[in-house]
């Protein structure tokens, strides 16, 4: 009987501990969901006519966090951006720079990325947007998100970051839209104002013109080749009147 009571008591304690653990995990999860962002990020991409991107990534911290980040970056130059420069195997980064903005307590990263927008059969696409934009105006697509990160930018601690991403399309872009299926921004550009664009736009007409010229040139060569030549005069004999 005593043994049975001890077993029931142990079982009750185990159940109570399990319930406490579940409640603790639930409270922690809710606290993380309701946590206010401690980092603000502005990620801006300006695209040119051929799809190259000029990126400016501004990461703003609280005063205390910025002081720590600044000290770490000062002692270990490149610490904050080493992951960006080594893990990006999609395309090259050009003119990569990292600056510390003391006035705004921000890390400012700038670089150019050729081929940021892909050109497929005359249509450009910028991939990597699982959610639709918050706003679209005058060729500027704006996305907003919140997430918990743990990386060099948080010195490997869990922090909530609020990110605002803007994609600024070229002025000449048309039919700009968000494609939910491909999770991409898509748009069209007029043909390039170069000789390549001229040949592309007028290839049928030019093919006809070159065909006519080829036939005419062949006929001219045939005429010259079959034209009878004048007989040579005998030596010492003057040509007649």
């Amino acid at each position: 009987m005593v043994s049975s009571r001890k077993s029931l008591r142990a079982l009750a304690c185990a159940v109570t501990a399990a319930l406490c653990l579940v409640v603790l995990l639930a409270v922690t999860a809710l606290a993380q969901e309701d946590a206010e962002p401690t980092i603000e990020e502005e990620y801006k991409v300006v695209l040119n006519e051929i799809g190259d991107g000029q990126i400016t990534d501004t990461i703003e911290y609280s005063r205390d966090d910025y002081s720590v980040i600044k000290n770490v970056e000062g002692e270990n130059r490149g610490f904050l951006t080493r992951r960006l420069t080594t893990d990006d195997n999609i395309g090259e980064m050009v003119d990569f720079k990292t600056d510390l903005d003391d006035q705004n307590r921000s890390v400012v990263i700038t670089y150019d990325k050729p081929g940021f927008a892909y050109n497929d059969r005359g249509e450009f696409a910028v991939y990597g947007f699982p959610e639709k934009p918050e706003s679209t105006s005058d060729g500027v697509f704006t996305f907003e998100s919140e997430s918990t990160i743990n990386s060099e930018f948080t010195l490997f601690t869990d922090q909530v970051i609020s990110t605002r991403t803007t994609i600024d399309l070229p002025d000449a872009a048309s039919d700009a839209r968000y494609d939910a299926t491909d999770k991409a921004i898509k748009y069209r550009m007029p043909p390039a104002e170069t000789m390549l664009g001229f040949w592309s736009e007028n290839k049928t007409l030019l093919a006809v013109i070159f065909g006519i010229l080829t036939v005419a040139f062949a006929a001219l060569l045939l005429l010259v080749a079959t034209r009878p030549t004048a007989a040579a005069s005998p030596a010492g004999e003057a040509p007649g009147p």
Side-chain angles (χ1 to χ4, degrees):
M1 188 71 177
V2 174
S3 176
S4 178
R5 289 180 179 176
K6 287 184 177 180
S7 297
L8 290 175
R9 191 176 301 166
L11 179 61
C13 291
V15 171
T16 302
L19 289 174
C20 290
L21 180 60
V22 171
V23 172
L24 179 61
L25 290 175
V27 171
T28 302
L30 290 173
Q32 289 180 347
E33 290 180 0
D34 296 337
E36 292 293 327
T38 55
I39 302 174
E40 303 284 341
E41 179 182 25
E42 289 279 347
Y43 185 83
K44 182 176 182 179
V45 181
V46 178
L47 295 169
N48 65 11
E49 289 77 7
I50 59 174
D52 296 339
Q54 185 180 54
I55 292 89
T56 303
D57 191 6
T58 304
I59 305 169
E60 181 182 345
Y61 296 89
S62 66
R63 189 175 302 278
D64 292 338
D65 286 351
Y66 177 74
S67 178
V68 176
I69 288 288
K70 181 179 179 180
N71 289 336
V72 172
E73 174 68 9
E75 295 175 359
N76 303 274
R77 193 65 179 168
F79 170 77
L80 293 177
T81 55
R82 61 185 181 181
R83 180 171 298 180
L84 290 177
T85 54
T86 56
D87 287 358
D88 191 335
N89 56 5
I90 299 177
E92 67 174 323
M93 295 180 173
V94 182
D95 296 331
F96 194 95
K97 297 178 182 177
T98 303
D99 295 314
L100 296 174
D101 183 354
D102 294 341
Q103 183 175 358
N104 295 301
R105 308 186 307 276
S106 301
V107 175
V108 182
I109 303 167
T110 57
Y111 59 94
D112 295 336
K113 190 165 185 178
F116 191 92
Y118 294 84
N119 188 347
D120 183 18
R121 290 170 295 190
E123 183 173 68
F124 286 86
V126 185
Y127 295 97
F129 300 97
E131 302 294 335
K132 67 179 183 180
E134 293 290 330
S135 64
T136 304
S137 176
D138 297 329
V140 178
F141 288 73
T142 302
F143 300 83
E144 295 183 1
S145 64
E146 285 189 8
S147 60
T148 300
I149 62 171
N150 184 317
S151 68
E152 286 85 353
F153 290 98
T154 62
L155 300 183
F156 303 107
T157 62
D158 290 341
Q159 292 199 43
V160 179
I161 182 171
S162 174
T163 302
R164 180 184 177 90
T165 301
T166 58
I167 309 296
D168 193 347
L169 305 184
D171 293 337
S174 62
D175 192 23
R177 64 201 183 280
Y178 174 73
D179 189 322
T181 301
D182 290 340
K183 300 178 177 59
I185 299 170
K186 295 186 177 181
Y187 62 96
R188 292 187 176 276
M189 290 290 295
E193 295 180 359
T194 64
M195 286 303 293
L196 291 176
F198 174 77
W199 297 119
S200 177
E201 285 186 313
N202 301 280
K203 58 184 178 182
T204 302
L205 176 61
L206 292 173
V208 173
I209 293 174
F210 280 120
I212 294 173
L213 291 177
T214 301
V215 172
F217 184 69
L220 181 61
L221 286 178
L222 182 62
L223 178 63
V224 171
T226 58
R227 180 182 179 183
T229 57
S233 300
E237 187 177 317

